[in-house]
Every structure is written in C-alpha cells, then in structure tokens.
Amino acid sequence: MSEFPKEMLHRLKTCGVVAGFSVDKVEHAVPLTKALLDGGINAIELMLRTPAAMAAVIEICAEVPEMLVGVGTILSPASVREVKAAGADFGVAPGMNPRVIAAAQDIGLPFAPGIATPTDLEAAIELGCRFVKFFPAEAMGGVTYLRSFAAPYKHLGIQYFPLGGINADNMSEYLREPNVPAVGGSWIVKQSLVDSEDWAGISSRAADVISKLKKDQRR
C-alpha cells in the first residue's frame, strides 16, 4: 500500500492549502518557506523544475523543520531516492508512473501519483495508492467532474489532492468535498515578489488565503 500516514493527512487537512512553487535560486528557498509559514501555511510542494530544486529541498528540510515538505514533479525512480535522502515528507507527480510508485514504496516515501481519469485511478489503486493528485483539476472539469468520476470508488476511501487551476475563488468549493483534505495552490507564491525578495508580501498573500478559508468555513 502507498497510504499517507494519518498524521500527515491530518496536517494537510488542517491547513487545507499546500503552496506550490519552484525556485530559481537556492538562497530564496528558506526565506520563502519561512514567509509562507509566517502567513499560516504549513505545507508546501516544491516542484523539481529548476536546477536549484533539489538543493532547495535539502535547505528547507534542514532549516524549516516546522514545514510539511512535499516535492512535486517527481518523474523517475532516481528522483524518488534523491527526494527521500533530502528529507522531504512526501512526493507528488503529475502522472501515474508505476516505476516511480514502486520506488517510493520501496523506500517508504509517502507518494501521490497524478490521475485525471477513472482508468488512471484504477491503475493507481491496483498499485496500492489511496491518496492521489487530481491534475489538472479545472481543465478536466473541476469539482463536478471529480464528484462524478470518484463516485464508483467511494467505498475504497480514496482521498484526492486537486491541483491545476485552483485559486482563492474556487479552493473552498473543492475543500467542501469530504474526500478532499487539501488543494494545491500555485497562485500564492508570486514570482515577482520572490525576485524582489519581498518576503513580507509573500506572508501577506499566505495570510489572505488562510483568512478566506476560515471565513468560507464559517458560512
């Protein structure tokens, strides 16, 4: 099985939003992560899309232990091993690669493969996955589509992590679904603020997201 630990799922659900980003400069990784934490976001997905990414994961895991560190865009078994060695808490991929899932299971890295169709989901279930990334969420049809294709598998207790097109206006709609503990938010980290090292600006954006989530939950 490739289940996420219950404590980790609880942490994801408590925050509700996982800030997704990539970094071009290793020196930005720690202050950016601390800025998100200061704003109330305690889970991230750092994507392996730049040469600085893996070194950034190592820095964050060492310097910001309070953050739940996920690593995204894991496309090979070799990357799985690097991510685990760097100290990350979990891994995520855009697609459903059996070799990557097997590597994560072999070394004990909680891992969420990407799925977009019932066929994808059944392949993931066959390999023991019960927590999956729904990507690209909005392009596939959003909450309505998720609700429809997830229905036949409800009895299996599958949990979904939607990413792709999520924003402050639609995040709460996803989080109202009982099988969605958290959503991915790539809009939170604005690249221009990172480039100018405006960490207070990043914290403010994070705080705005958490404030809106709490307000929506009270409705």
Side-chain angles (χ1 to χ4, degrees):
M1 299 293 284
S2 185
E3 292 182 295
F4 270 49
K6 289 182 179 179
E7 180 187 352
M8 191 177 295
L9 283 173
H10 177 73
R11 286 184 66 182
L12 288 170
K13 188 170 184 177
T14 299
C15 187
V17 177
V18 178
F21 60 90
S22 56
V23 293
D24 294 313
K25 297 180 179 180
V26 176
E27 58 266 31
H28 285 165
V30 169
L32 169 54
T33 303
K34 288 182 175 179
L36 289 167
L37 201 59
D38 288 344
I41 290 179
N42 58 18
I44 63 170
E45 179 194 340
L46 196 159
M47 295 169 279
L48 298 181
R49 298 182 183 178
T50 69
M54 199 62 72
V57 174
I58 294 170
E59 291 281 324
I60 292 169
C61 292
E63 300 294 329
V64 197
E66 312 96 305
M67 183 63 79
L68 185 65
V69 180
V71 177
T73 324
I74 298 177
L75 305 179
S76 70
S79 290
V80 169
R81 291 187 287 271
E82 286 187 82
V83 165
K84 176 70 172 178
D89 295 300
F90 66 93
V92 180
M96 215 296 302
N97 185 326
R99 291 175 61 243
V100 173
I101 293 172
Q105 291 172 336
D106 284 346
I107 62 174
L109 179 72
F111 184 78
I115 59 96
T117 68
T119 300
D120 295 339
L121 180 58
E122 288 195 19
I125 291 169
E126 182 72 16
L127 293 170
C129 301
R130 293 296 182 271
F131 182 66
V132 295
K133 172 180 178 175
F134 171 43
F135 176 83
E138 281 294 288
M140 289 302 296
V143 172
T144 301
Y145 175 82
L146 173 61
R147 195 177 294 141
S148 296
F149 96 75
Y153 311 98
K154 184 177 179 181
H155 63 290
L156 298 177
I158 309 298
Q159 298 283 292
Y160 301 88
F161 177 40
L163 294 93
I166 312 293
N167 56 48
D169 295 324
N170 62 20
M171 61 180 178
S172 292
E173 184 182 8
Y174 282 92
L175 290 169
R176 280 192 285 270
E177 295 298 303
N179 54 8
V180 176
V183 299
S186 59
W187 84 94
I188 301 165
V189 175
K190 196 172 182 180
Q191 190 59 47
S192 61
L193 295 178
V194 177
D195 292 340
S196 62
E197 301 184 352
D198 183 357
W199 310 126
I202 295 288
S203 289
S204 179
R205 289 175 67 84
D208 286 345
V209 169
I210 297 302
S211 176
K212 189 174 191 309
L213 271 181
K214 291 179 178 177
K215 188 182 298 182
D216 290 345
Q217 288 168 357
R218 290 195 295 267
R219 290 176 180 171

